């Protein structure tokens, strides 16, 4: 794994841990009102992860994990991230991206793991803040 790929993985794990902690707090109150276990197993964790990620990316282009690892997510043309771009990126990452990776694993090895499918789909660029090394996915 390349350096940026490792940092991205660690950042995602950090964001997931934070989201899990928030989800546990929300579920404490939600369990009293909603008795359906599917909501607690599937809907609430996904909604919390997406809501936290969306709010952080919309505000400054970084999640807590990205900030800790020195990464920034930007529009590939240098504009501010749009709402649609952020949502497309999250939805693609959590649904189709895994299948895309399994289908064309060789393409990722040729790109040294720097360009992930959800970035190219949403038109985003990941930059490493320390070295300002840009990863262009197109």
């Amino acid at each position: 794994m390349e350096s940026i790929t490792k940092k991205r993985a660690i950042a995602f794990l950090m964001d997931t841990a934070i989201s899990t902690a928030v989800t546990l707090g929300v579920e404490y109150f939600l369990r009293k009102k909603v008795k359906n276990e599917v909501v607690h197993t599937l809907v609430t964790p996904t909604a919390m992860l997406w809501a936290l990620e969306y709010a952080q990316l919309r505000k400054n282009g970084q999640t807590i994990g990205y900030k800790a690892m020195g990464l920034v997510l930007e529009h590939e043309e240098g504009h501010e991230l749009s709402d649609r771009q952020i949502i497309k990126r999250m939805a693609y990452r959590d649904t189709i991206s895994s299948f895309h990776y399994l289908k064309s694993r060789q393409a990722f090895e040729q790109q040294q793991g720097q360009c992930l499918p959800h970035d190219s789909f949403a038109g985003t660029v990941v930059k490493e803040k320390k070295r300002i090394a840009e990863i262009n996915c197109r």
Side-chain angles (χ1 to χ4, degrees), residues 38-132:
V38 172
V39 171
H40 301 297
T41 305
L42 298 174
V43 177
T44 306
T46 303
M48 287 294 104
L49 178 66
W50 282 25
L52 289 171
E53 185 175 356
Y54 175 82
Q56 293 174 56
L57 289 175
R58 189 72 186 128
K59 183 172 176 149
N60 62 2
Q62 290 179 304
T63 62
I64 293 171
Y66 268 43
K67 189 171 186 172
M69 299 310 306
L71 299 173
V72 178
L73 182 71
E74 295 179 351
H75 189 283
E76 67 185 4
E77 295 174 4
H79 306 295
E80 188 174 314
L81 291 172
S82 68
D83 298 334
R84 181 181 170 132
Q85 223 175 2
I86 295 169
I87 292 169
K88 278 175 59 173
R89 183 178 186 274
M90 291 185 301
Y92 194 84
R93 180 195 62 218
D94 291 347
T95 56
I96 302 169
S97 183
S98 300
F99 298 115
H100 187 79
Y101 175 77
L102 292 173
K103 181 181 172 187
S104 60
R105 189 173 174 181
Q106 299 298 337
F108 293 102
E109 291 173 5
Q110 291 173 352
Q111 297 171 2
Q112 300 171 339
Q114 295 177 336
C115 183
L116 300 178
H118 52 275
D119 292 319
S120 59
F121 180 75
T124 56
V125 173
V126 174
K127 291 183 180 180
E128 193 171 11
K129 252 186 154 176
K130 294 176 185 170
R131 291 187 299 158
I132 313 296

